[in-house]
Amino acid sequence: MSECLFCRIVAGEVLADTVAENDHAIAFRDINPAAPTHVLVIPRVHEPNVAAVASASPEALVGMFQLAAQVADDEAIAEDGYRLVANTGAAAHQTVFHAHVHVLGGRTMGWPPG
Ligand code: 5GP
Ligand code: ZN
């Protein structure tokens, strides 16, 4: 059994509130939402961050962003605008080291991010 939490979600060993999926990625609601819509998009393959996905599996990175766009449409946040965030490394507040993109929307975002 994998020790990676998101690999365990991919494998169905840990339950998640899945909202969409495609051949390369799975989208599920963040357990601790930071916005009215807060969905995580993760690749099915294990890579530690999006930079590593870009190197190892560019098609998976494309699949992640296609799924993020679909989630934004499905959640009706695409028209007003939404934010995609890929925290990369501990100093950027990455806490789960299986690549993921946050899809955040449903409220006005601040800038710059903290
Ligand atoms: P990071 O800080 O690495 O960019 O984001 C990791 C995200 O994963 C956090 O927003 C956190 O709330 C979320 N998270 C951590 N554990 C779980 C879990 O077991 N289920 C779900 N759905 N989200 C989780
Ligand atoms: Zn993993």
Side-chain angles (χ1 to χ4, degrees), residues 2-10 42-48 96-99:
S2 174
E3 290 183 8
C4 170
L5 172 64
F6 286 178
C7 280
R8 297 186 70 191
I9 287 177
V10 172
I42 70 171
R44 293 182 186 276
V45 293
H46 178 90
E47 295 294 342
V96 177
F97 289 84
H98 178 126

Side-chain angles (χ1 to χ4, degrees), residues 61-99:
L61 194 71
V62 172
M64 289 172 68
F65 278 85
Q66 288 174 333
L67 193 62
Q70 181 187 323
V71 167
D73 283 339
D74 292 348
E75 297 283 319
I77 56 174
E79 190 172 325
D80 283 350
Y82 59 98
R83 182 166 290 168
L84 301 180
V85 174
N87 296 325
T88 304
H93 207 282
Q94 184 176 2
T95 59
V96 177
F97 289 84
H98 178 126

Side-chain angles (χ1 to χ4, degrees), residues 45 47 51-59:
V45 293
E47 295 294 342
V53 180
S55 294
S57 185
E59 63 282 2

